[in-house]
Each structure stands twice: as structure tokens, then as C-alpha cells.
């Protein structure tokens, strides 16, 4: 069983995936805490589990019910956009996504 | 001078009979909040106008001879991760500011339909991530029993509001113990219902396979009143239980005593690592249940030994996905960034507190290619194992007992630097969330220094009513719940009224 460890490079990759920018003063604290937690939690890899073919499931024993696929009243554009940091007409405005 | 504690059932009966007006009750609650808030900081916003308008409408209905709901005139606070139409919602985070909700959570709609008077938004750990309410971006809540102590979390504001006699009922949410643990710390009663029993529509999600809406009151009878008003299927929440999936009033537990009730004490939840005074109080409570006719014996739940890593891997994995929506595009704050991804990273890094960032990073790691199967995948399989162990145990026992928390409430600021140690304190509450079963925390005594101790009772999936009946009978025969309410009642005189400082860590 290989070690599971988080180093600074891995932390930066995680931050990139999680869309977080970690300033240097915060990075050290987060790295130390993550290392402690992951090192403690990695113990679950050693637990013997019955029948690996059995599927995992969520908390509810009952399956999620289906409902008819019919249109229902929903929030209008003004309500949806009311909390937007920036809007134009019926759209959210975001910074540039692709180069011109 | 503290007011006399009045429970929700009494208020509703008095308003219905005309002995009190809903306005007088609402005004008394608002006045009490104004007195206790400087010392406790249970609230992030008090909705006085909404409350008084609702109270007047109830009084008008009565004057016109119209029927009143089962919670007529009862002031109820709600945890600020449930949205209420027209009101601000923060989830304890600066990131969402200045969000104002365009719709209401189903649980709040049903409460208002039942005549409840919504009195204010309570403080919480940011997005429900914490066990002390110290992770709120708006400063910590203090424990009304002793304002130098944490109130627990993440529903610490709700528990403190009830303990401080601000209101008889407050809504909380429980993903890993966030209703039960603060209820235990503040000497009040709290329930996490069966997963799906109460709609989560309008809940700002943390970990969707674990999140439950629960409530905190000064006794189990008021929690039954609450559950009756809000339970049931909701077309807006596909995970809400359909009729028939939750067991109605069960005949398994006798109405007047506990004769025949089979109580199990899983030794893994009652053994090493538990504070001695907490253990002693739980053993005494078990003896009290025996005196009421129950049979109590030790049993085993082996998989709970792995519950904390299992819970935190599942919960943070789900959180890393749920919190992806806070990207500065649709609501809340936005920090400048010339490109989209730079704006998102700047917004999230500035808006999320330390604990939220830690959990999002942990969840991202648990789902990371190469570790997914070994961490998240194994955690979901251990979760299934745990659920099956509970099912087996409930074939032999009606109720399983443990302390709610392995330790009594501790001083503010004393555990902020060690998140792993804080997570391990959740060991007794997270199993019920992983299994989706109902669990109740009842006051069962206090330490020599007066710190409250909570007794956790767990029942099989859908057996919320049986659980509440055990709580009601226990409280009919004991006075722990009344003694802790007395302790907290004088909070207005307990400190000098300076608002609490936010911790520096």
C-alpha cells in the first residue's frame, strides 16, 4: 500500500482544482493541517471490507422517486438575477473567458 | 431578572384560547433578544417587522373566529443557512453578502402556515462547517449557561437562542451532529430526524447525502409539535420521504412508561475517550430508563470506530462539489479578476473562511484521480457497513444510547488550532448521519462546574416518533431539562454586556 501524502505541489494542484488562490501566509497552515488529517484518515485503507462488488449507496434506503416531466412555475429572470454581482439585461456578466 | 420559561405548546394553547395575544408573545421574545444579544450573539438578524406582522395576522384571525394553526403565535428562530423569502441569508459566510432570498425553504413555509412567528436568523459556523460556531464570519456565539464556553455548533446560535429563553423553538440543521451537539452543550433538547423526513428545499447545502433539517427546544414534546408541522413529502425535494416510509405513531413504546423498551449501549460509543463525568451522567440516565421499565444492556457496533474518517471524507467530497457554485457569477461577492478563473479564485479565497477552504481542499483530495477509490470509495463502503450494523442492532434494540459529545462544552478559542482534534469530537454524532437514522439529544445532567451534558438516543430509520416518546417519558420523570434551562435563564446578568470578540485564529 503506497503512502498517501500531501506536499506543497499537491496542495497547489488541489487549490487550482478547487478554484482557490492560497496566499503564502495561509498555505503553510493549510498544508500542515491537511497532512495531519489525511495521515490519520488514510487508516481506512487498511480496514477489511466485505464483498467489494456490493454497490455503495446514499443514506436513504428508498430509491429517489421520479415525477412527471412537466413544466412548473419557477423564478423569473429578474428574481434569478437580483443577487448577481453584475448583470446586463437578462444575463450574468463575467470577465473575459476566451481571447479575442 | 430572567423570564419564566414557557414552552411552545403552552404558547400555542394560550394564543388559541385567547389567554395571550400573539403580539404580546412576539414583543416579549423581541425584548428578551434585545437583552441577551449583547452577551450571547445568537442572532445574525432579528426580523422584528416580519414577526410583528405575522403576530398581528394571527390575532386578527382569532378575532375573526378563524381557525389557528398548531404553532399559533410561537416565536421560532431559524439557522441562517435556510432561506426565507425577502430576508437576508448568509450561511455564516461573507461570501454570500448581500444575498436576499427570492423564495422560502419549505420548512419555514410550513412553519408560517402552522402559525409560527419567525423571529430571526441564528448564527452558525460558516456553511455549517464547525462544532463551536467560532467559524462564523460574523463572530462567535457564546453559551448562555456560561458565556466563557462555546455553545457548540454548527447550529450554536439556535441552541443558544433557546437556552437564553429568547424563543422556545429554533430550527437547526444537522450534517454530522450540528443540532444535537449544540443542544447538549447548551442544556436543551435537539432532534435530527430521519434523513428525508423534513424537506431540505431552501437549505444552503453542505453535504447533501447527510444534511438534515432538525430543531432545538427545551423539551421533546415541543419537538414533536414541530415535527408534526413540518414533516412530509415535498415535490421540491426529491429526497424527502414519501408517505408510508416514515413510521407513524408506533405501538412499540408504551405511552405511560417504558416497560418493554429495549435499550442498547454500544460499548464503542460509551468507552475510552469519553470524559468521566459525561460517562457517569449517561450511565445514570440509563439507570433512570431502567427504573422506568426499560431493559438496558451493552451491545457492539464495530464500524463506528471508523465513523469520523468516513464521515469527513464523504462530507468534504460532497462539500467540494456543493460549494463550487460560489464562484462570483450568480450571487454574493465578486473580487476583481481580469479572467474568469482568476475572478473565481479571488472571490472564493477572499469569501471563504479558513475552515471552509480546508474542507474544500480535503474533499477535492478525496475525489482526486488516484485517491478516489482508496479514500472516497472506501468511505462509502464503510458507510454501507455501518448502516447494516445499525439495522442488525435495531433488530434487538428499540433505542441505542451514548453521550451526545465525548466532552462537555469547552472555553472559546481553546481548540481552534487543531481541526483534527475537533473532528474527533464528532465521533458519537456522525454515525447517525451516515446511517440516515433519527437521533435525539436530551439534557441528562451537568459536570461539577455546571457544564451541561447531553444524552444521545438513536432509533431505527423512520422511528422518530418512538424516539420522541422516549424523550418525553424521560423528561416527564426527570428534571434535567428544567435545571439547565434555569441555569441559562439569568444570562442577561451573567456578563457585563460587552459584545463578544471574534477569535483571532
Amino acid at each position: 500500500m503506497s503512502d498517501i501524502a500531501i506536499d506543497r505541489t499537491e496542495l497547489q494542484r488541489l487549490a487550482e482544482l478547487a478554484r482557490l488562490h492560497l496566499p503564502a501566509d495561509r498555505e503553510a497552515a493549510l498544508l500542515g493541517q491537511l497532512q495531519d488529517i489525511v495521515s490519520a484518515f488514510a487508516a481506512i485503507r487498511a480496514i477489511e471490507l466485505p464483498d467489494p462488488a456490493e454497490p455503495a449507496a446514499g443514506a436513504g434506503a428508498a430509491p429517489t422517486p421520479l415525477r412527471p416531466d412537466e413544466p412548473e412555475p419557477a423564478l423569473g429572470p429578474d428574481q434569478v438575477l437580483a443577487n448577481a454581482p453584475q448583470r446586463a439585461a437578462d444575463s450574468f456578466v463575467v470577465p473575459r473567458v476566451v481571447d479575442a | 431578572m430572567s423570564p419564566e420559561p414557557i414552552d411552545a405548546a403552552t404558547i400555542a394553547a394560550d394564543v388559541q384560547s385567547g389567554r395571550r395575544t400573539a403580539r404580546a408573545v412576539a414583543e416579549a421574545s423581541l425584548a428578551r433578544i434585545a437583552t441577551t444579544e449583547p452577551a450571547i450573539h445568537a442572532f445574525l438578524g432579528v426580523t422584528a417587522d416580519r414577526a410583528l406582522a405575522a403576530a398581528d395576522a394571527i390575532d386578527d384571525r382569532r378575532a375573526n373566529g378563524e381557525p389557528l394553526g398548531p404553532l399559533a403565535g410561537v416565536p421560532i428562530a431559524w439557522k441562517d443557512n435556510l432561506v426565507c423569502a425577502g430576508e437576508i441569508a448568509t450561511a455564516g459566510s461573507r461570501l454570500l453578502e448581500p444575498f436576499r432570498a427570492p423564495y422560502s425553504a419549505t420548512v419555514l413555509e410550513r412553519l408560517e402556515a402552522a402559525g409560527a412567528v419567525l423571529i430571526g436568523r441564528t448564527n452558525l459556523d460558516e456553511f455549517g462547517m464547525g462544532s463551536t460556531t467560532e467559524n462564523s464570519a460574523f463572530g462567535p456565539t457564546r453559551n448562555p449557561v456560561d458565556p466563557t464556553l462555546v455553545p457548540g455548533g454548527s447550529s450554536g446560535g439556535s441552541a443558544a437562542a433557546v437556552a437564553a429563553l429568547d424563543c422556545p423553538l429554533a430550527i437547526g440543521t444537522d450534517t454530522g451532529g450540528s443540532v444535537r451537539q449544540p443542544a447538549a452543550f447548551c442544556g436543551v433538547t435537539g432532534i435530527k430526524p430521519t434523513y428525508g423526513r423534513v424537506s431540505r428545499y431552501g437549505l444552503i447545502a453542505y453535504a447533501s447525502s447527510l444534511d438534515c433539517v432538525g430543531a432545538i427546544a427545551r423539551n421533546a414534546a415541543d419537538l414533536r409539535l414541530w415535527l408534526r408541522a413540518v414533516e412530509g413529502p415535498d415535490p421540491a425535494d426529491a429526497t424527502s420521504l414519501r408517505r408510508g416510509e416514515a413510521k407513524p405513531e408506533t405501538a412499540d413504546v408504551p405511552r405511560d412508561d417504558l416497560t418493554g423498551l429495549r435499550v442498547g449501549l454500544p460499548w464503542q460509543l460509551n468507552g475510552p475517550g469519553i470524559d468521566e463525568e459525561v460517562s457517569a451522567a449517561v450511565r445514570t440516565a440509563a439507570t433512570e430508563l431502567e427504573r422506568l421499565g426499560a431493559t438496558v444492556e451493552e451491545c457492539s457496533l464495530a464500524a463506528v470506530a471508523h465513523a469520523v474518517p468516513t464521515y469527513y471524507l464523504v462530507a468534504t467530497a460532497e462539500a467540494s462539489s456543493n460549494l463550487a457554485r460560489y464562484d462570483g457569477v450568480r450571487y454574493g461577492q465578486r473580487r476583481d479578476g481580469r479572467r474568469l478563473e482568476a475572478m473565481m479564485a479571488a472571490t472564493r479565497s477572499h469569501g471563504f473562511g479558513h475552515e471552509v477552504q480546508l474542507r474544500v481542499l480535503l474533499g477535492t483530495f478525496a475525489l482526486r484521480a488516484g485517491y478516489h477509490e482508496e479514500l472516497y470509495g472506501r468511505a462509502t463502503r464503510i458507510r454501507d457497513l455501518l448502516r447494516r450494523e445499525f439495522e442488525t442492532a435495531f433488530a434487538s434494540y428499540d433505542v441505542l444510547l451514548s453521550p451526545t459529545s465525548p466532552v462537555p462544552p469547552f472555553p472559546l478559542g481553546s481548540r481552534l488550532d487543531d481541526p483534527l482534534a475537533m473532528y474527533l469530537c464528532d465521533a458519537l454524532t456522525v454515525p447517525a448521519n451516515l446511517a440516515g437514522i433519527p437521533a435525539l439529544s436530551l439534557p441528562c445532567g451537568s459536570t461539577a462546574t455546571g457544564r451541561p451534558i447531553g444524552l444521545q438516543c438513536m432509533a431505527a430509520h423512520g422511528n422518530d416518533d418512538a424516539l420522541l416518546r422516549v424523550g418525553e417519558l424521560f423528561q416527564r420523570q426527570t428534571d434535567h431539562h428544567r435545571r439547565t434551562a434555569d441555569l441559562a435563564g439569568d444570562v442577561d446578568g451573567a456578563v457585563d454586556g460587552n459584545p463578544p470578540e471574534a477569535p483571532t485564529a
Side-chain angles (χ1 to χ4, degrees), chain B residues 24-377:
Chain B
V25 173
E27 285 176 343
S29 178
L30 292 167
R32 177 67 181 166
I33 292 169
T35 304
T36 59
E37 262 311 87
I40 303 302
H41 187 38
F43 286 83
L44 294 181
V46 177
T47 50
D49 291 345
R50 186 185 197 98
L52 293 173
D56 287 345
I58 290 162
D59 290 335
D60 287 347
R61 285 177 67 88
R62 188 175 185 284
N64 294 332
E66 297 173 48
L68 302 182
L71 290 167
V74 177
I76 296 182
W78 76 95
K79 187 178 181 179
D80 196 21
N81 60 352
L82 290 156
V83 298
C84 183
E87 305 293 345
I88 288 168
T90 70
S93 181
R94 291 278 181 200
L95 190 137
L96 272 172
E97 284 184 317
F99 184 84
R100 196 172 282 277
Y103 64 97
S104 282
T106 297
V107 63
L108 299 184
E109 273 188 349
R110 289 183 180 177
L111 284 174
E112 287 195 313
V117 170
L118 297 180
I119 205 93
R121 302 176 285 111
T122 58
N123 199 9
L124 68 156
D125 290 295
E126 187 176 6
F127 291 103
M129 297 184 186
S131 309
T132 62
T133 319
E134 292 168 297
N135 293 334
S136 168
F138 304 97
T141 295
R142 290 175 180 263
N143 192 323
V145 174
D146 175 350
T148 67
L149 304 176
V150 297
S154 63
S155 310
S158 290
V162 173
L165 310 181
D166 292 336
C167 52
L169 248 172
I171 312 309
T173 61
D174 191 314
T175 305
S178 283
V179 160
R180 290 160 285 157
Q181 185 256 24
F185 275 18
C186 293
V188 289
T189 306
I191 187 169
K192 178 204 95 68
T194 298
Y195 180 82
R197 182 120 186 192
V198 178
S199 167
R200 287 126 18 113
Y201 180 66
L203 165 64
I204 296 172
Y206 163 17
S208 301
S209 78
L210 299 156
D211 290 337
C212 287
V213 175
I216 294 168
R218 280 191 290 277
N219 60 55
D222 277 358
L223 294 178
R224 177 191 297 283
L225 196 61
W226 168 78
L227 189 58
R228 282 285 93 81
V230 301
E231 67 182 336
D234 177 9
D237 177 2
T239 61
S240 61
L241 295 175
R242 287 161 290 180
R243 299 263 179 234
E245 289 175 351
K247 293 183 185 168
E249 293 285 323
T250 172
D252 294 348
V253 182
R255 287 188 176 273
D256 298 324
D257 64 30
L258 296 176
T259 303
L261 184 81
R262 302 163 302 167
V263 176
L265 281 163
W267 66 263
Q268 294 89 348
L269 298 177
N270 289 277
I274 310 243
D275 176 275
E276 279 184 21
E277 287 183 287
V278 170
S279 273
V282 169
R283 281 197 302 274
T284 303
T287 307
E288 285 165 346
L289 290 175
E290 275 185 319
R291 209 182 64 237
L292 292 171
T295 58
V296 180
E297 60 184 42
E298 196 172 82
C299 62
S300 179
L301 277 174
V304 299
H306 317 300
V308 169
T310 300
Y311 167 80
Y312 274 95
L313 290 167
V314 170
T316 60
E318 294 181 16
S320 72
S321 172
N322 271 327
L323 270 61
R325 72 191 68 176
Y326 305 111
D327 55 9
V329 172
R330 284 155 294 177
Y331 26 62
Q333 287 188 13
R334 173 182 292 186
R335 302 298 278 189
D336 289 336
R338 291 183 59 204
R339 301 294 296 261
L340 181 67
E341 294 207 347
M343 180 279 285
M344 289 178 174
T347 297
R348 290 162 62 79
S349 304
H350 185 264
F352 289 149
H354 180 89
E355 181 65 26
V356 173
Q357 295 196 34
L358 179 66
R359 293 194 194 195
V360 166
L361 289 165
L362 178 61
T364 305
F365 185 70
L367 294 174
R368 179 112 150 83
Y371 301 124
H372 180 285
E373 189 46 41
E374 283 194 85
L375 294 176
Y376 178 75

Side-chain angles (χ1 to χ4, degrees), chain B residues 417-428:
Chain B
D417 295 336
D418 190 349
L420 180 58
M422 197 84 98
Y423 298 172
L424 294 173
C425 286
D426 298 339
L428 310 182

